[in-house]
Amino acid sequence: MIKLYADYHTHTTYSHGKGTIMDNVMAARSKGLSEIAITDHGIRHLTFGVKKKNIAVMRAEIDRINEKCEGIKVLLGMECNIISSEGDIDMDDEIRKHLDILLVGYHMMVAPASLKDTWNIYGLNYMDKFFSYNTEKVKEKNTISMEKAIRKHKIDIITHPGARISIDTAYIARVAVKAGTALEINSHSSAMTAEHVIAAAKSGVKFVIDSDAHRPEDVGRLDNGLKIAIEAGLDSSQIINAVK
């Protein structure tokens, strides 16, 4: 039996979640979790990105919560975005020094690094989504950009791989395992199927099961991801937020 103790992907009102940091913490504790990460959207996520000036505020708030709340550890993270074909993300040293955990994923509503990147990442993917434009070549470009991001940054978790933009999950798993990066089985998204997990697991990569909660009541709601993991034949040793 696989028992999970943490939810490392949750959003708050600092981006476009519906609850406060404390709301998420209390929800996690009520579900019996001993760890939670607050991982609002990166600063270049259009409309929903966390304000850079708020990151230090969030750090201070989480430090106070950790001092006062027993039985649960709260981490500050961010779900950053890939903003260029070279694997750049919306993160700098000033932001990174505040964070305990770094998540990175593809999102479609992001300000890319350049006009060229706007086309190479978002233009091509929108074309492919609606017109099946050069599907395999677009997927290859996406995969290479993700590979470069993993090699360039110390990423803890790749969020919902394949959910927003198509990638070669098995190939990314081989890159991720060498970097110590986990692949997320997202309980909110069905993109990471059991078949994807089975293919990725052959590399020895680790997985994490998260809620991607945007409401406090969804924090710790991990059953969908756990079902996929069990269907794929994973055991606790392959899942970083599972009790060993």
Side-chain angles (χ1 to χ4, degrees):
M1 179 179 176
I2 299 174
K3 180 176 174 55
L4 304 174
Y5 68 87
D7 188 352
Y8 292 132
H9 187 176
T10 75
H11 297 275
T12 73
T13 51
Y14 281 106
S15 58
H16 73 311
K18 302 300 182 184
T20 65
I21 292 175
M22 183 57 86
D23 288 337
N24 283 13
V25 171
M26 296 305 291
R29 193 159 68 170
S30 73
K31 301 277 180 63
L33 300 181
S34 59
E35 286 191 17
I36 180 177
I38 305 300
T39 54
D40 282 302
H41 286 291
I43 59 174
R44 292 178 75 99
H45 194 295
L46 298 175
T47 308
F48 299 137
V50 66
K51 300 284 192 300
K52 193 171 182 179
K53 65 181 182 181
N54 285 334
I55 297 168
V57 177
M58 296 170 73
R59 176 75 269 170
E61 184 176 346
I62 286 174
D63 288 344
R64 288 194 298 271
I65 291 171
N66 279 321
E67 288 176 3
K68 294 179 180 179
C69 289
E70 295 182 359
I72 189 163
K73 180 180 180 181
V74 187
L75 307 177
L76 175 60
M78 186 176 288
E79 186 185 13
C80 289
N81 305 286
I82 295 175
I83 60 171
S84 84
S85 298
E86 294 303 311
D88 296 305
I89 62 175
D90 50 351
M91 167 68 61
D92 59 31
D93 292 341
E94 181 64 25
I95 296 172
R96 188 68 180 95
K97 72 180 185 182
H98 293 291
L99 304 185
D100 303 304
I101 187 170
L102 176 60
L103 283 59
V104 172
Y106 273 120
H107 294 87
M108 294 300 285
M109 295 295 291
V110 172
S114 68
L115 286 175
K116 182 179 178 181
D117 293 312
T118 301
W119 172 249
N120 283 337
I121 298 177
Y122 302 103
L124 289 175
N125 278 284
Y126 274 118
M127 289 280 286
D128 186 50
K129 181 178 181 181
F130 293 109
F131 305 110
S132 298
Y133 171 80
N134 210 0
T135 299
E136 287 305 311
K137 190 65 177 177
V138 173
K139 182 177 180 180
E140 181 183 352
K141 280 178 173 286
N142 298 336
T143 303
I144 291 171
S145 298
M146 177 70 78
E147 176 184 10
K148 288 180 178 179
I150 293 171
R151 295 190 189 281
K152 189 176 287 189
H153 309 282
K154 177 54 182 170
I155 300 170
D156 296 292
I157 297 169
I158 297 297
T159 59
H160 44 65
R164 307 292 187 272
I165 289 177
S166 178
I167 63 169
D168 183 336
T169 309
Y171 180 83
I172 287 300
R174 294 194 292 273
V175 176
V177 70
K178 293 177 182 178
T181 300
L183 300 187
E184 181 184 68
I185 303 174
N186 188 297
S187 291
H188 182 68
S189 166
S190 59
M192 191 72 160
T193 65
E195 289 73 22
H196 286 119
V197 173
I198 290 168
K202 293 176 182 178
S203 69
V205 74
K206 298 291 186 180
F207 297 89
V208 59
I209 299 172
D210 289 323
S211 69
D212 195 0
H214 289 68
R215 306 180 303 169
E217 55 264 40
D218 292 331
V219 172
R221 196 169 279 178
L222 306 171
D223 289 350
N224 288 341
L226 188 55
K227 180 180 178 182
I228 292 169
I230 292 170
E231 185 180 346
L234 298 186
D235 60 41
S236 298
S237 68
Q238 296 168 282
I239 303 169
I240 65 172
N241 58 332
V243 176
K244 304 300 189 283

